[in-house]
Amino acid sequence: MRNPVFDIENWREIGTTLAQNKTRTFMTAFGIFWGTAILALLIGGSEGLKHFMYRNFEGFATNAAIIFPGRTTKSYAGFNKGTEVKLNTQDAANIRRAIPDIEYSSAVVFSRGTALYGRNKSSAQLTGVEKDYDKIFEPIVYEGRFINEADDVNFRKVCVVGKKVADELFGTGSGIGKELQINDIYYKVIGVIGQTSEVNVGAKMDESIFIPYNTMRRGYNLGNHIDIFLMTYQSGCRPADYERLLRHLVASNHPIAPDDNGAFNYFNISEKFEMLDNIFYGITLLALFVGIGTLMSGIIGVGNIMWIIVRERTHEIGIRRAIGAKPRDIIIQILSESMVLTTIAGITGIVFATLILGTVQMATDGPRGPLHFQLEFSQATGILLTFLILGTAAGIIPAVKAMKIKPIEALNDK
């Protein structure tokens, strides 16, 4: 007796059987094809959309928080409601001393200025920052380096210019080591940077000039003023857990009522990332729900066509049983047909989805690279195996029914 798994004649019979039921086979195969394609497109598309959203925050630390001043919402200590709150270096010192879980931090001040180099000039935002600024808001360094601790402590007259400003001042040449006149003070260029994120701190990095915080305070008589204070926390720490303490620390240094939460703002970046994670978790569940629904419709089609095939081949199965075919051979025969139909249609659906995702990825390619509209090999394999297992399972009941057909009953079937 020939082995139905390895015998080439058996696989020819499978093809012949499926071809004889052209309409039913096509509709079932199309259902499986569409199910795998939809599921693959939803998974790959959600990954691309997720990458698109996260790219807006690219370069910005995910556990960062920003403190920036506002106005009091309550009268307190003789000061009227609406009094402007201004952060200072004492606030920064209090926060750093009271919260050892802060990993990186930087005081930041802003101003406007005009940079001159020869006959070229560029209007830019001047940003005074401390040494850890680039660890909180990571730039693209095109040339040179960013401001370090020695620059700030020693009041060095150095600057880092944004790419757009550098192009306006130096054209296609390098700006490293050149002297710029910014609001009547000369600074040596030590770096050229750009921005990866869509998030702005004051202005885009490409349109800014960065100066050591202490140098800017002294050069432009800013005193101990701070416009905003940036910080990140140690791994495992949640920025939201420190908001109450931070409000107390700032309020203790200013005429702010202890319960006045509007006097200054605490912007928690991690909350935005958590919100995005929750949104895409929901999108993933929706994609799985829709994909599984489509999948089940295709699997039900496989089961139906197997029932029809068994019914139409009752006479043939009876003859095979009469000449010695074992029940195991009949089961393998029916399951093989189910597996072939599921595998071919499933692979076709995955290939189709991959081509669509690849086309979308090429269409979204830009200066910052393409979006990741991709289906990973493990995901494609998982989808195919899921369809194959369920498609095979759908053929089990018809296969068992075929196995139980008695030769004499099958031969008398009309």
Side-chain angles (χ1 to χ4, degrees):
M1 189 70 186
R2 69 190 185 191
N3 190 318
V5 176
F6 301 103
D7 192 345
I8 189 65
E9 291 299 326
N10 179 62
W11 293 101
R12 288 176 180 171
E13 288 180 13
I14 292 173
T16 301
T17 302
L18 295 176
Q20 289 172 348
N21 297 271
K22 291 180 181 179
T23 302
R24 300 189 188 98
T25 300
F26 174 78
M27 295 303 295
T28 303
F30 182 78
I32 298 171
F33 161 82
W34 193 241
T36 52
I38 288 293
L39 188 55
L41 285 171
L42 287 172
I43 292 174
S46 65
E47 286 296 319
L49 182 59
K50 183 176 182 179
H51 182 256
F52 171 75
M53 295 298 295
Y54 272 100
R55 195 162 70 175
N56 291 329
F57 295 90
E58 190 175 359
F60 209 99
T62 59
N63 62 340
I66 306 173
I67 297 176
F68 52 96
R71 292 182 179 273
T72 58
T73 60
K74 298 180 180 181
S75 298
Y76 183 75
F79 289 87
N80 294 326
K81 172 183 175 181
T83 301
E84 184 179 3
V85 177
K86 295 183 179 180
L87 300 176
N88 55 46
T89 53
Q90 186 60 52
D91 292 316
N94 291 344
I95 292 170
R96 287 166 174 154
R97 182 174 57 252
I99 307 178
D101 290 331
I102 290 178
E103 184 175 18
Y104 301 115
S105 63
S106 175
V108 182
V109 287
F110 301 112
S111 183
R112 293 299 302 178
T114 300
L116 301 175
Y117 178 73
R119 295 183 178 180
N120 298 330
K121 69 177 182 178
S122 177
S123 179
Q125 176 178 271
L126 303 185
T127 306
V129 299
E130 296 182 294
K131 63 182 179 65
D132 289 337
Y133 182 87
D134 63 326
K135 299 179 181 66
I136 303 170
F137 196 10
E138 184 179 357
I140 301 172
V141 179
Y142 295 105
E143 291 184 279
R145 63 174 178 84
F146 199 73
I147 293 165
N148 59 30
E149 184 175 11
D151 297 328
D152 194 35
V153 172
N154 297 318
F155 300 92
R156 290 175 180 171
K157 292 182 179 180
V158 295
C159 68
V160 176
V161 299
K163 186 66 169 64
K164 181 180 178 181
V165 176
D167 290 342
E168 291 175 350
L169 295 174
F170 312 119
T172 58
S174 173
I176 301 300
K178 295 179 179 177
E179 297 280 342
L180 293 184
Q181 181 183 350
I182 307 173
N183 293 357
D184 300 324
I185 299 176
Y186 284 88
Y187 298 88
K188 179 182 287 187
V189 177
I190 60 172
V192 177
I193 64 172
Q195 182 170 324
T196 60
S197 172
E198 293 297 327
V199 177
N200 297 326
V201 179
K204 285 185 175 295
M205 285 186 171
D206 300 69
E207 302 170 355
S208 302
I209 298 176
F210 294 86
I211 299 170
Y213 172 71
N214 285 321
T215 304
M216 187 164 172
R217 284 201 304 133
R218 174 184 287 184
Y220 301 109
N221 299 317
L222 299 179
N224 63 355
H225 174 66
I226 294 175
D227 282 315
I228 64 172
F229 186 72
L230 300 175
M231 71 199 86
T232 62
Y233 296 88
Q234 300 283 350
S235 177
C237 298
R238 297 179 67 252
D241 296 338
Y242 299 90
E243 181 175 357
R244 186 173 181 179
L245 175 58
L246 281 163
R247 291 191 177 279
H248 171 74
L249 291 170
V250 175
S252 66
N253 191 43
H254 298 273
I256 300 174
D259 58 345
D260 187 355
N261 292 330
F264 71 93
N265 299 282
Y266 182 72
F267 185 70
N268 182 358
I269 297 294
S270 68
E271 288 184 349
K272 307 305 175 184
F273 281 97
E274 289 175 3
M275 187 183 301
L276 284 177
D277 286 338
N278 291 334
I279 290 173
F280 284 105
Y281 180 72
I283 290 175
T284 301
L285 289 180
L286 178 62
L288 289 175
F289 179 78
V290 174
I292 289 173
T294 310
L295 178 152
M296 293 308 299
S297 65
I299 297 306
I300 291 172
V302 172
N304 288 337
I305 196 172
M306 289 300 104
W307 272 109
I308 294 170
I309 288 174
V310 169
R311 182 69 186 87
E312 291 181 348
R313 296 173 62 192
T314 299
H315 195 74
E316 173 195 337
I317 292 172
I319 294 174
R320 293 189 62 191
R321 290 293 307 278
I323 62 176
K326 298 178 180 179
R328 175 178 63 87
D329 298 330
I330 302 300
I331 290 178
I332 292 176
Q333 174 73 22
I334 301 301
L335 291 182
S336 297
E337 295 170 3
S338 175
M339 291 172 63
V340 168
L341 183 62
T342 304
T343 301
I344 294 176
I347 291 176
T348 306
I350 291 172
V351 170
F352 174 77
T354 302
L355 291 174
I356 295 296
L357 291 172
T359 302
V360 173
Q361 175 158 307
M362 287 189 292
T364 58
D365 194 4
R368 295 165 62 187
L371 298 176
H372 292 171
F373 284 97
Q374 296 177 351
L375 185 69
E376 296 180 4
F377 180 77
S378 59
Q379 293 172 330
T381 304
I383 293 172
L384 182 60
L385 287 177
T386 300
F387 268 77
L388 184 58
I389 291 171
L390 293 178
T392 303
I396 288 178
I397 296 178
V400 171
K401 180 180 182 299
M403 177 194 71
K404 291 181 178 180
I405 296 176
K406 296 180 181 180
I408 188 63
E409 294 176 355
L411 291 173
N412 292 328
D413 184 73
K414 295 181 180 181

